[in-house]
Amino acid sequence: GGVPNLIPRPKVDKEYSLPTIAELCGIPGATVIGPSAVASVKVGKNAELVNNFKVGGENRSWYTRVTDETNDTYMCEKYPHESFGLLGNLYLSQGLPGPVIKVSARIR
């Protein structure tokens, strides 16, 4: 996924499989974390997703969607799917204990 899926109009039919991405990265049983868009075909509209997914294991991902644009209300729900849509910034690891990495960013 990426920005070309947003311009000139969002391509809400785009869907990417987390297990397939892990396989392509050479980490078939990966733990995947990071933000992305939901697979709109799964939830019926665009929404923000926080991935916390173990390929072949537990899915602890959550998403947030607007429920009423007039009143600015939203809801958070568990995301039971193994895919995401549009674009994502994902980190994949083997999920094993080891040194902790520190990531710092000042600007996007």
Side-chain angles (χ1 to χ4, degrees):
V3 174
N5 288 335
L6 296 173
I7 300 170
R9 300 203 42 94
K11 297 175 184 168
V12 295
D13 61 326
K14 292 295 182 181
E15 185 175 359
Y16 301 95
S17 163
L18 292 171
T20 300
I21 290 170
E23 186 75 34
L24 291 170
C25 290
I27 313 172
T31 296
V32 183
I33 60 172
S36 70
V38 298
S40 296
V41 296
K42 304 283 190 199
V43 299
K45 67 186 306 185
N46 191 24
E48 297 293 322
L49 172 61
V50 177
N51 292 285
N52 185 353
F53 179 78
K54 171 73 173 158
V55 175
E58 191 171 3
N59 183 354
R60 294 182 177 182
S61 302
W62 286 76
Y63 76 103
T64 302
R65 66 182 172 94
V66 174
T67 55
D68 184 349
E69 292 180 22
T70 305
N71 296 321
D72 290 329
T73 57
Y74 61 92
M75 65 183 302
C76 293
E77 294 182 302
K78 286 193 174 234
Y79 186 75
H81 310 290
E82 296 185 350
S83 60
F84 68 97
L86 295 175
L87 70 157
N89 293 307
L90 304 176
Y91 176 81
L92 282 72
S93 78
Q94 293 175 330
L96 302 173
V100 175
I101 64 166
K102 179 180 178 182
V103 178
S104 297
R106 293 211 168 130
I107 60 172
R108 182 168 201 190

